[in-house]
Amino acid sequence: MRGQVEDLSVGYNGGQKSKALKPLPPVAYENRHASGQQVSAVRFAGVYYLVAHLSPKVAEDFGDGPVPLTLRVRLGGTAQAGPDYAGGAVPSDVFSVDGGPGGSATGGGGTAGDATLYRVLAAGGIGTGSALVVGLGVWTVVARRRGADLSG
């Protein structure tokens, strides 16, 4: 899943610029019920990353050479234990970020078996949908012919 937590814009004129994000809320399970979009966006443990975009117009104005960029990131706090549940998640590692099959700290996850399962599910869903559409088409044609035979 990918979602925006914070947005910041800086105009570039060829010189050094500086801009700072406001302190962001901590990543916490309790944030799942938060009313603010920024707070609710950081409810799951996992990989959070920064993205920097540069307008193509910068190349028109300043050339195709490299544009120096320095990002300074400060993290605070310590890892907290997750909530206790009466039961367990199925599969058990679906929300893990420790490199297990259900997810990883580097954003990976899944196995070759998962890919096969998803392909079988996709083929079954497409096949079932196609069969339903063909069946409805045949049913419509038969119903119209019966109606024409009864009226003629």
Side-chain angles (χ1 to χ4, degrees), residues 14-56:
Q16 184 174 348
K17 295 284 187 165
S18 178
K19 195 85 173 203
L21 291 170
K22 296 177 291 186
L24 297 173
V27 175
Y29 178 77
E30 293 79 22
N31 292 344
R32 72 193 184 284
H33 295 301
S35 58
Q37 183 177 2
Q38 183 188 47
V39 176
S40 66
V42 290
R43 63 180 159 245
F44 294 119
V47 178
Y48 288 82
Y49 57 95
L50 298 170
V51 177
H53 295 279
L54 190 61
S55 169

